């Protein structure tokens, strides 16, 4: 896995929980990075502080998905989606609601709205676009919808 390194002292905000890394906070990234590619984020000393996806063409260069070295795959998205659904069930949400709300549910760049037994997905980033097959599979497993509509 490729990695990016933060400039000195730029990790403070991220270590306090902020999920974004801005382009001016990172050392020059390898030119071979593609928008949406998964990268490890290292502090200036080379210590791991998170994993996310990068877009070298955006002001928000990295959106963190996790602060551990876990794989970003269908199982990752299924866990996040199931946790989001459980939170909404505990709050007594009805038949239609925002099922996934981007950073609020730990999946930056993804919005999923539930309308009865149909789901509408909005992908707001190149990173989510790259993982769309895993996300759709996880949504199918968790919700068994009659339809999934991609609205990008």
């Amino acid at each position: 896995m490729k990695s990016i390194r933060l400039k000195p002292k730029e990790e403070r905000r991220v270590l306090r929980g902020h999920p974004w890394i801005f382009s001016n906070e990172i050392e020059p990234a390898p030119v071979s990075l593609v928008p949406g590619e998964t990268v490890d984020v290292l502090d200036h000393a080379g210590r791991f502080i998170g994993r996310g996806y990068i877009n070298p063409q955006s002001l928000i260069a990295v959106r963190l998905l996790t602060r551990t070295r876990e794989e970003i795959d269908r199982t990752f998205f299924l866990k996040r989606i199931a946790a989001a659904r459980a939170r909404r069930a505990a709050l007594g949400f009805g038949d239609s609601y925002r099922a996934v709300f981007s950073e609020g549910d730990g999946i930056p760049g993804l919005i999923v709205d539930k309308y009865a037994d149909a789901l509408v997905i909005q992908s707001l980033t190149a990173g989510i676009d790259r993982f769309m097959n895993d996300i759709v599979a996880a949504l199918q497993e968790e919700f068994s919808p009659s339809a999934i509509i991609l609205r990008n």
Side-chain angles (χ1 to χ4, degrees):
M1 168 144 340
K2 294 179 184 173
S3 62
I4 58 118
R5 189 178 298 255
L6 298 179
K7 292 178 180 175
K9 300 183 183 176
E10 294 294 351
E11 73 280 356
R12 292 178 290 188
R13 187 179 44 75
V14 175
L15 292 174
R16 287 187 208 120
H18 200 283
W20 296 348
I21 296 166
F22 295 98
S23 58
N24 64 336
E25 297 173 329
I26 61 176
E27 296 288 343
V31 292
S32 62
L33 291 172
V34 223
E37 185 173 4
T38 306
V39 294
D40 283 345
V41 177
L42 310 175
D43 68 8
H44 188 66
R47 294 180 294 257
F48 177 88
I49 60 173
R51 181 170 284 168
Y53 57 81
I54 192 163
N55 188 341
Q57 301 162 354
S58 174
L59 177 63
I60 303 171
V62 178
R63 294 171 193 259
L64 288 177
L65 292 166
T66 182
R67 296 176 190 268
T68 65
R69 293 183 186 268
E70 64 187 304
E71 288 299 314
I72 310 301
D73 56 12
R74 188 193 61 77
T75 302
F76 171 85
F77 290 107
L78 181 59
K79 286 191 289 187
R80 295 285 170 101
I81 291 165
R85 186 178 191 189
R87 279 191 295 278
R88 285 147 181 82
L91 292 170
F93 280 40
D95 204 25
S96 298
Y97 54 88
R98 179 143 288 171
V100 177
F101 192 34
S102 201
E103 282 85 356
D105 289 312
I107 311 174
L110 178 67
I111 302 289
V112 180
D113 292 313
K114 180 181 180 305
Y115 300 99
D117 63 347
L119 300 175
V120 177
I121 300 173
Q122 292 180 59
S123 170
L124 306 172
T125 62
I128 292 302
D129 288 346
R130 282 182 70 118
F131 288 112
M132 190 54 69
N133 290 338
D134 288 332
I135 290 166
V136 168
L139 287 166
Q140 287 173 326
E141 186 172 335
E142 181 63 26
F143 287 98
S144 300
S146 63
I148 295 179
I149 299 152
L150 299 175
R151 182 179 175 168
N152 296 332

